[in-house]
Amino acid sequence: MALLPILRYPDPRLHKKASRVDVVDAGIRKLAADMAETMYEAPGIGLAATQVDVHKRVIVMDVSEEKNDLRVFVNPEILSREGECEGEEGCLSVPGIYETVKRAAKVRVRALNLEGEPFELEVEGLLAVCVQHEIDHLDGKVFVEYLSRLKQTRIKAKLAKQARITA
């Protein structure tokens, strides 16, 4: 396994729409394992392939306290949304920034597992938020784009300042 570099907002590659995975093979399984290692090391609770500059529809997440419940979704799609919730979100591509975002409270998602078998899952709470956040990445959208233009400008300026300090 290998740690992968995570793209940082506002990198234009974060806006590239990911393509469907035709076959879940050893390459996709290795990508998922590398993404999981990267996510745990960061540390984070979710990571989309787009964030590591691989434009395939693959996401990994683990919202457990113990970090022992890895979930992998290949070609995930939301089938239904219910209710509404508001909560603070962060992102490995937007380090140090946390903002309130509105999402569906419950979602039904369909995807393939690492054996290429289809499954459906109804999720709520943090897992539902995470699924929506990571699928947004696959569609080329970063959570800060739900915010006002003013907030987006402030976030870009703060991240640019962080980059200058660490450079």
Side-chain angles (χ1 to χ4, degrees), residues 43 46 52 67 80 87 91 133 149 151:
V52 293
K67 300 298 175 212
S80 65
C91 180
H133 178 112
R149 289 262 184 242
K151 278 192 176 181

Side-chain angles (χ1 to χ4, degrees), residues 142-155:
V142 180
F143 89 99
V144 296
E145 290 158 17
Y146 286 101
L147 308 174
S148 70
R149 289 262 184 242
L150 177 62
K151 278 192 176 181
Q152 288 179 46
T153 301
R154 287 181 178 162
I155 289 168

Side-chain angles (χ1 to χ4, degrees), residues 123-159:
V123 295
E124 54 190 332
L126 182 57
L127 189 54
V129 169
C130 196
V131 164
Q132 293 169 83
H133 178 112
E134 301 308 333
I135 289 175
D136 274 354
H137 277 300
L138 300 180
D139 294 332
K141 189 166 187 172
V142 180
F143 89 99
V144 296
E145 290 158 17
Y146 286 101
L147 308 174
S148 70
R149 289 262 184 242
L150 177 62
K151 278 192 176 181
Q152 288 179 46
T153 301
R154 287 181 178 162
I155 289 168
K156 285 178 187 172
K158 185 174 183 177
L159 292 173

Side-chain angles (χ1 to χ4, degrees), residues 25-157:
D25 58 14
I28 294 298
R29 286 188 282 277
K30 180 176 182 344
L31 171 64
D34 290 347
M35 287 171 58
E37 184 179 358
T38 302
M39 174 191 72
Y40 287 128
E41 179 70 24
I45 61 169
L47 189 68
T50 301
Q51 293 176 269
V52 293
D53 202 20
V54 176
H55 302 282
K56 299 275 185 195
R57 296 190 74 80
V58 178
I59 58 178
V60 298
M61 61 189 72
D62 185 343
V63 299
S64 70
E65 288 291 323
E66 301 79 22
K67 300 298 175 212
N68 63 357
D69 188 26
L70 179 66
R71 295 170 186 253
V72 179
F73 298 75
V74 179
N75 296 334
E77 57 184 311
I78 293 175
L79 302 175
S80 65
R81 300 171 195 265
E82 278 182 49
E84 190 178 273
C85 67
E86 215 176 55
E88 194 173 77
E89 289 186 30
C91 180
L92 295 176
S93 291
V94 193
I97 304 294
Y98 299 91
E99 291 287 342
T100 301
V101 178
K102 282 185 186 173
R103 301 272 187 189
K106 184 189 291 186
V107 296
R108 181 158 201 79
V109 63
R110 175 174 47 215
L112 300 175
N113 64 21
L114 286 177
E115 285 73 50
E117 300 160 341
F119 69 93
E120 286 187 19
L121 196 60
E122 191 166 276
V123 295
E124 54 190 332
L126 182 57
L127 189 54
V129 169
C130 196
V131 164
Q132 293 169 83
H133 178 112
E134 301 308 333
I135 289 175
D136 274 354
H137 277 300
L138 300 180
D139 294 332
K141 189 166 187 172
V142 180
F143 89 99
V144 296
E145 290 158 17
Y146 286 101
L147 308 174
S148 70
R149 289 262 184 242
L150 177 62
K151 278 192 176 181
Q152 288 179 46
T153 301
R154 287 181 178 162
I155 289 168
K156 285 178 187 172

